[in-house]
Amino acid sequence: MPERARGAATAQRDVVDTVLGFARTLRHAGVAASPDRVEAMLSALGCLDVLDPGAVYWAGRLTLCAGPDDLDRYDAAFAAWFAGERPRAARPPGRPEVHLAASAPLDPGTGEGEDDGETPDLAVQASAAEVLRHRDVAQLTPAEREHLRRLFGLLVPAAPMRPSRRRRPSAQGAVHPARTVRRALRGGGEVSRLLHHRPQARPRRVVLLVDVSGSMAPYADALLRFAHAAVRARPGSTEVFTIGTRLTRVTREMRLRDTDRALAASGAAIPDWSGGTRLGEVLKVFLDRWGQRGTARGAVIVVCSDGWERGGTELLAEQMARLRRLAHAVVWVNPHKGRAGYEPLTGGMRAALPSVDHFVSGHSLAAFEELTGVLKDPRASHLSHARGGTPHGGRHPGKDPSHA
């Protein structure tokens, strides 16, 4: 294949990958961005200059957004994905133009066009954002941290659901005798159709226990931002506590809408920031004061910690087993698990893991996106699990079925 044609095909492939990645970011932000809308955006870009930020912005806004509710999310996603604010309509002077064909090929090495020798900036920026999603947050530069914060603002952690005693009309399920009889009476007393109902799902409580000790300092900001996203998504069914040498409830501070204000208020309320760690004692305080009274009962408990324990591990193992008996599921998030060759050899982790349903990493944005899937269905058997001797998603011995 001629060099010019090969270069044009590569540029087209870069733009297609960029649009597909942007659509995935939009879906994380809550915008549907269905495949037919993505195809419409690619067709629109085939008639526009892909180096013009304004053209890319309006092509996506007019094709990917389904209504007024999507506009703010689209603006935030565009700024985060392309690492900039909402663009102006004018194209910067002196920039070479690269046009897509009306139907951009997905396979490299096909298609026709002219090669200007330069990869579109939006593809470069999108590739950098994709790489950033998998970077360890403890190793980022200040500029990368700022970009990652915008991406964190797009996270919408899914809430686990549970059946309630309330029921709602449904096309399937148990027969609703009262509604069936009322309908028959309105029709002359003859039952012509059976009406059904089924239990109505309600959000299950999620409790996050975030370790803010000195060993977790590089990850505390990211963990609290994830906690704020969870509270923002389900403010009525999400609780946040910080753990270290003391237990601090920061749910009220996390309910502030602005993320930076919420983190600043939480930091002011935490007296043991970057201190030591007494996980066993703090968990006992949580269970005695909050968990046993109902906060942990039937909830999904997320413990975010590296497992370093200054006290005795026997107390930690005892309190974790107690927590497991109360909770619907226990998830442990350890940022060090994302490192190659990591093994949970610390005394705290060895004591805690027998009572943990899912052991996941929390070192990058991609890891937090995986965590949202764990929270959506914490009993799913295919998710990451590290409890020795207990099947994936299995019930812990001694678990009270009434709390499931």
Side-chain angles (χ1 to χ4, degrees), residues 175-360:
V175 175
H176 194 308
R179 291 182 60 235
T180 301
V181 170
R182 287 197 297 267
R183 180 184 180 91
L185 292 176
R186 288 195 299 266
E190 182 178 353
V191 178
S192 60
R193 178 185 175 189
L194 295 178
L195 300 180
H196 303 266
H197 62 171
R198 64 179 178 181
Q200 183 175 0
R202 297 181 60 185
R204 187 181 293 276
R205 184 182 296 110
V206 176
V207 181
L208 295 105
L209 304 174
V210 182
D211 189 344
V212 293
S213 61
S215 61
M216 287 289 291
Y219 301 96
D221 181 80
L223 290 168
L224 289 175
R225 288 182 182 276
F226 178 83
H228 180 261
V231 173
R232 187 178 64 239
R234 296 285 184 178
S237 59
T238 307
E239 291 280 350
V240 183
F241 297 82
T242 61
I243 55 178
T245 57
R246 298 180 58 179
L247 176 75
T248 306
R249 182 174 182 260
V250 293
T251 304
R252 183 175 62 180
E253 289 78 7
M254 284 290 171
R255 285 175 180 165
L256 294 174
R257 187 168 185 177
D258 182 77
T259 306
D260 293 330
R261 288 182 57 200
L263 265 63
S266 300
I270 299 171
D272 56 340
W273 190 278
S274 295
T277 312
R278 294 188 175 93
L279 293 177
E281 296 178 15
V282 172
L283 278 178
K284 186 176 187 304
V285 172
F286 167 73
L287 290 170
D288 290 343
R289 184 176 178 183
W290 299 93
Q292 199 75 36
R293 297 183 179 182
T295 302
R297 200 176 294 271
V300 177
I301 309 296
V302 184
V303 183
C304 307
S305 175
D306 55 6
W308 285 100
E309 172 63 288
R310 294 179 59 182
T313 57
E314 296 82 4
L315 179 61
L316 175 59
E318 176 186 341
Q319 298 306 312
M320 284 297 299
R322 182 182 169 194
L323 177 65
R324 185 64 189 87
R325 288 192 295 269
L326 287 171
H328 173 73
V330 178
V331 180
W332 193 291
V333 180
N334 188 335
H336 300 314
K337 186 177 183 293
R339 298 177 180 176
Y342 169 80
E343 293 290 340
L345 301 178
T346 62
M349 289 307 313
R350 292 171 66 90
L353 281 181
S355 300
V356 171
D357 289 289
H358 293 281
F359 184 39
V360 300

Side-chain angles (χ1 to χ4, degrees), residues 99-113:
H99 294 279
L100 281 178
S103 178
L106 292 178
D107 296 327
T110 60
E112 298 179 0

Side-chain angles (χ1 to χ4, degrees), residues 13-90:
R13 171 72 185 193
D14 288 339
V15 175
V16 171
D17 289 342
T18 298
V19 173
L20 294 177
F22 178 47
R24 182 172 63 248
T25 302
L26 280 175
R27 285 191 285 271
H28 281 300
V31 180
S34 57
D36 57 331
R37 290 183 177 275
V38 175
E39 184 178 355
M41 181 179 180
L42 288 171
S43 298
L45 288 176
C47 304
L48 299 171
D49 178 7
V50 296
L51 291 181
D52 183 354
V56 176
Y57 171 85
W58 286 108
R61 175 165 169 160
L62 294 174
T63 55
L64 299 178
C65 296
D69 293 341
D70 293 341
L71 299 183
D72 290 340
R73 296 174 182 176
Y74 176 85
D75 289 346
F78 190 92
W81 184 253
F82 295 113
E85 300 301 325
R86 173 175 167 174
R88 299 178 179 178

